[in-house]
Amino acid sequence: MPTPRFIPYLGVGVLLTLAVLGKSAVMAVSAAGIGIALSVTRNAPLRSRLAAVVLGAFGGSLLAETVHTVYHLLGGETASGDDGFFYISALLVGAINAVAMLVVTGLADRIRSSRRAG
């Protein structure tokens, strides 16, 4: 069984796998943002780690969508009638990833705390 500290990174790996299977660059960048946030805050208190997960998830998905939009503005192939839907979609992807990883990170912290106590 993986150590509790490793469980959130396993969750990021699952998100990355789902992103590859779904061919979703936005989801992949969101998951990568979460992974970076977890790595940077690995020794921080749980509250800071959870805030970093949310920021990484939303920051990653919005960054990916911004790059996508700039690509289209510079003449790349475009989808007609965007009207901002892609940003709403990016926010939803970030929210779903954040919620999933908040649960995983919180559970990993509970497991780590119960192992220390027992």
Side-chain angles (χ1 to χ4, degrees):
M1 179 174 176
T3 63
R5 273 208 182 275
F6 184 69
I7 291 172
Y9 298 107
L10 197 59
V12 170
V14 169
L15 289 178
L16 286 171
T17 301
L18 292 173
V20 169
L21 293 174
K23 298 177 183 169
S24 174
V26 171
M27 185 174 180
V29 177
S30 178
I34 293 169
I36 291 167
L38 286 170
S39 179
V40 168
T41 61
R42 67 183 162 269
N43 295 321
L46 178 62
R47 184 172 294 193
S48 297
R49 289 176 59 87
L50 296 178
V53 163
V54 172
L55 289 174
F58 281 108
S61 63
L62 291 174
L63 173 67
E65 190 51 47
T66 300
V67 169
H68 177 243
T69 300
V70 169
Y71 168 76
H72 290 303
L73 290 174
L74 296 176
E77 291 181 20
T78 185
S80 61
D82 171 19
D83 294 333
F85 172 75
F86 292 132
Y87 275 100
I88 298 300
S89 178
L91 286 172
L92 290 173
V93 167
I96 291 166
N97 284 354
V99 168
M101 287 306 300
L102 287 172
V103 170
V104 169
T105 304
L107 288 175
D109 187 70
R110 281 225 180 227
I111 292 169
R112 188 171 39 243
S113 295
S114 67
R115 283 189 178 178
R116 281 187 210 147

